[in-house]
């Protein structure tokens, strides 16, 4: 029975009972009203109001839970759905709200997958152009500088050799950028080798020590899941190097019951009150793509901890 009909029938029953007492019973209303009659009328009205209030509170309490869920819902942080309670249109409203959340999460996941796929394709294109075009051009310049420096008189030859070293450094930097844009080692040698190369090639500031503990005997996660783990590790290391002011960073990858866990901890200054930026939101979106659980917060001894648990697909060992 809907809330409307329950309230209507309650009020109708009270009014019919009161009318029956006035018409068929000994109850009357004098003019002027006697004290006893006024007390009876006041008690009846109070009872009617209390019954209506109790019925409304019980009937509308599920809506209050839905309202609290609406104010705290974040599609990047899936949470349990509100329990379907109440009757009639209240239960239908909660079911509709839960269905809407399911649809919104599915649509966001699909749009995020398309956006991240386009992003990875653009990364591969830029990396290929850096390697094939800019890298080859700098290589040709480097060889030409070497040839000219060998025939040039001093001190011009020394200056050309200095330019040669600068060019070689630029070529190495372009190759490093290309590897970060498109982790070829991930496709060729696997996740552990890619994370090892990432930790080694990440330009750490003075005073920061990067320690890694990577298990080699890990179950197969699939290409998409491995790319998610790599990108989240890359973003976490970049954030630590740029913002954390840490002296120690621990990178670990291990097999856990039901999946694989990536954990990155540092002893830096933590998040503080700074709102999440595009980098952290991107990490959450990537985690949702493969059904992984992502924790971003303070570490057990301060600093920042990034913990990603990726479920193992059925049949993987």
């Amino acid at each position: 029975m809907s809330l409307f009909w329950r309230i209507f029938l309650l009020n109708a029953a009270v009014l019919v009972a009161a009318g029956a007492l006035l018409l068929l019973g000994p109850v009357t209303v004098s003019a002027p009203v006697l004290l006893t009659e006024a007390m009876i009328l006041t008690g009846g009205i109070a009872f009617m109001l209390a019954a209506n209030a109790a019925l409304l509170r019980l009937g509308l309490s599920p809506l209050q839970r839905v309202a609290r869920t609406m104010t705290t819902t974040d599609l990047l942080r899936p949470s349990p759905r509100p329990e379907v309670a109440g009757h009639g249109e209240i239960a239908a409203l909660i079911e509709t709200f839960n269905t809407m959340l399911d649809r919104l999460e599915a649509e966001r996941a699909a749009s995020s997958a398309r956006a991240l796929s386009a992003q990875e394709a653009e990364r591969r294109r830029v990396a290929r152009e850096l390697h094939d075009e800019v890298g080859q051009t700098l290589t040709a310049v480097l060889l030409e500088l070497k040839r000219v420096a060998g025939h040039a008189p001093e001190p011009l030859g020394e200056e050309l050799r200095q330019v040669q070293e600068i060019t070689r450094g630029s070529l190495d930097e372009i190759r490093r950028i290309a590897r970060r844009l498109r982790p070829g080692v991930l496709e060729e040698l696997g996740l552990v080798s890619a994370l090892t190369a990432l930790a080694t090639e990440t330009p750490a500031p003075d005073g920061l020590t990067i320690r890694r503990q990577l298990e080699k005997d890990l179950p197969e996660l699939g290409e998409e899941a491995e790319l998610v783990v790599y990108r989240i590790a890359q973003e976490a290391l970049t954030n630590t190097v740029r913002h954390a002011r840490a002296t120690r960073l621990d990178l670990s990858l291990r097999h856990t019951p039901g999946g694989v866990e990536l954990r990155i901890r540092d002893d830096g200054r933590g998040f503080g009150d700074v709102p999440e930026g595009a980098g952290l939101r991107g990490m959450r979106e990537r985690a949702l793509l493969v059904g992984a659980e992502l924790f971003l917060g303070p570490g057990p001894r301060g600093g920042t901890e990034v913990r990603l648990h990726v479920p193992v697909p059925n049949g993987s060992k």
Side-chain angles (χ1 to χ4, degrees), residues 16 50 143 246-247 254-255:
V16 168
L143 293 175
T247 60
R254 62 192 183 94
H255 186 197

Side-chain angles (χ1 to χ4, degrees), residues 86-167:
H87 304 276
E89 68 273 12
I90 303 296
L93 178 62
I94 299 176
E95 290 179 354
T96 303
F97 176 72
N98 291 341
T99 303
M100 181 191 69
L101 283 183
D102 293 338
R103 186 180 69 253
L104 289 176
E105 288 185 357
E107 291 176 354
R108 183 180 180 90
S111 62
S112 297
R114 290 192 296 268
L116 293 175
S117 177
Q119 185 184 83
E120 290 297 332
E122 184 67 13
R123 285 172 181 259
R124 287 193 295 269
R125 185 189 66 81
V126 173
R128 185 170 55 251
E129 292 183 357
L130 286 175
H131 183 272
D132 296 343
E133 298 181 12
V134 181
Q136 290 182 4
T137 301
L138 285 179
T139 300
V141 171
L142 191 62
L143 293 175
E144 187 65 18
L145 284 173
K146 183 178 180 180
R147 186 188 66 81
V148 174
H151 297 86
E154 297 295 340
L156 181 59
E158 180 63 26
E159 293 179 358
L160 288 174
R161 280 187 287 273
Q162 292 179 2
V163 175
Q164 185 179 354
E165 292 301 319
I166 294 174
T167 305

Side-chain angles (χ1 to χ4, degrees), residues 234-285:
Q234 186 181 48
E235 181 68 26
L237 263 66
T238 300
N239 289 339
T240 298
V241 169
R242 291 181 179 177
H243 309 296
R245 299 178 185 174
T247 60
R248 175 176 174 175
L249 185 147
D250 295 322
L251 169 65
S252 67
L253 183 70
R254 62 192 183 94
H255 186 197
T256 59
V260 173
E261 182 184 79
L262 170 73
R263 186 173 62 192
I264 301 172
R265 288 178 178 172
D266 65 53
D267 60 351
R269 57 181 181 176
F271 289 111
D273 297 329
V274 179
E276 290 189 0
L280 298 183
R281 290 195 298 270
M283 293 167 67
R284 295 190 185 278
E285 289 180 350

